[in-house]
Amino acid sequence: MVLAYDKFVRSEAYHTEFMSENIDRFVIALADGMGGHKAGEVASADVLANLQFFVNDLPKGLSIGEFNEMMMEWLDSVNKMIASKGHVDPSLAEMGTTLVGIVYYGQKYYWMSCGDSRLYRLRDGRLTQLSTDHSLNVVKGEKRHSNVITNCIGAGCKNSYLDLYEFTDDFLQGDIYLICSDGLNDMVPDEDIERLLGEEASANRLCEAAIIAGGYDNVSACVISVM
């Protein structure tokens, strides 16, 4: 599921435009649910809705340190909320989700990641993965642990953590950012993602490429172009 500025998107294509100069905060994020079809959908939707409300409700004037601290408090709170739903409803037990996205607050851009969903940037024709997968592949330096993650929200993860960084350079005109679930990058190599983004491919076209490649998992993607 994707939170695209002001709309929650699942199983559909969506396009919007906005100017950051006219607003003081926004979130663009993707959550890839786990724990069965219903449970995964519930976890991803709950986390994105909770995140949107939280960011919109933040007081103005927080320092970078205060913003980081409040985001970590949010992670702890939403993790407990997801776990409590599983205790109340057995069909939701052990549900969880990854989270990756971009937050604009206080005229600064931040990126965040929990799990193995990814954030990429295409700048001057070169693709760079900005996020780090929280997975056994990274921990062990091997490729045979595909889809085994070491960090997420919910799913019994008691020590969830959030990679949260301020962008070290401003969004530049012509930059393209991609947030995606592992259903995309597991099936489409980075060099093909780079080529497709260079051709101004939409999120829908990227998802279609994963399906054509034999996609065996749900695929979600969001493309952010800086104009």
Side-chain angles (χ1 to χ4, degrees):
M1 186 172 185
V2 173
L3 169 57
Y5 176 51
D6 59 355
K7 182 178 175 62
F8 296 96
V9 182
R10 188 194 300 276
S11 302
E12 61 182 292
Y14 176 71
H15 174 82
T16 188
E17 295 181 6
F18 61 93
M19 296 179 64
S20 60
E21 292 86 350
N22 298 331
I23 50 181
D24 69 343
R25 65 193 69 189
F26 67 79
V27 180
I28 300 174
L30 178 150
D32 186 19
M34 303 171 292
H37 180 68
K38 177 186 175 184
E41 286 191 352
V42 171
S44 59
D46 281 356
V47 166
L48 289 180
N50 195 285
L51 175 64
Q52 183 190 47
F53 177 83
F54 177 82
V55 171
N56 286 341
D57 203 44
L58 283 173
K60 293 183 178 180
L62 294 176
S63 67
I64 295 175
E66 290 169 334
F67 175 80
N68 275 267
E69 184 176 348
M70 293 195 73
M71 286 297 297
M72 298 309 170
E73 290 176 358
W74 169 80
L75 178 66
D76 182 61
S77 174
V78 76
N79 209 9
K80 290 176 180 176
M81 181 267 287
I82 293 295
S84 68
K85 282 199 169 186
H87 295 319
V88 173
D89 184 348
S91 71
L92 303 179
E94 299 299 309
M95 71 175 179
T97 184
T98 67
L99 177 68
V100 65
I102 294 170
V103 179
Y104 178 73
Y105 169 84
Q107 297 184 319
K108 297 183 183 299
Y109 289 93
Y110 301 84
W111 67 264
M112 59 185 174
S113 174
C114 178
D116 64 348
S117 295
R118 291 183 176 182
L119 169 66
Y120 291 96
R121 179 182 65 200
L122 184 76
R123 173 174 288 174
D124 297 328
R126 176 171 294 182
L127 187 72
T128 303
Q129 181 182 338
L130 301 181
S131 61
T132 299
D133 297 348
H134 302 154
S135 68
L136 279 183
N137 281 345
V138 172
V139 172
K140 294 183 174 293
E142 301 173 355
K143 292 294 186 182
R144 59 190 179 91
H145 303 286
S146 181
N147 299 322
V148 179
I149 64 175
T150 57
N151 181 38
C152 64
I153 299 173
C157 187
K158 300 183 183 301
N159 297 302
S160 297
Y161 60 93
L162 193 67
D163 286 346
L164 180 64
Y165 297 98
E166 180 189 1
F167 279 94
T168 55
D169 47 8
D170 295 333
F171 278 30
L172 302 180
Q173 185 176 2
D175 283 354
I176 298 176
Y177 291 85
L178 167 68
I179 56 176
C180 65
S181 66
D182 63 340
L184 175 62
N185 55 264
D186 276 353
M187 302 307 302
V188 183
D190 282 7
E191 54 266 30
D192 288 344
I193 294 175
E194 180 179 87
R195 174 180 56 80
L196 288 166
L197 288 177
E199 297 170 356
E200 299 184 354
S202 65
N204 198 47
R205 184 178 171 195
L206 288 164
C207 291
E208 288 174 352
I211 294 170
I212 292 171
Y216 53 83
D217 197 1
N218 293 332
V219 186
S220 297
C222 179
V223 175
I224 305 112
S225 299
V226 182
M227 309 301 290

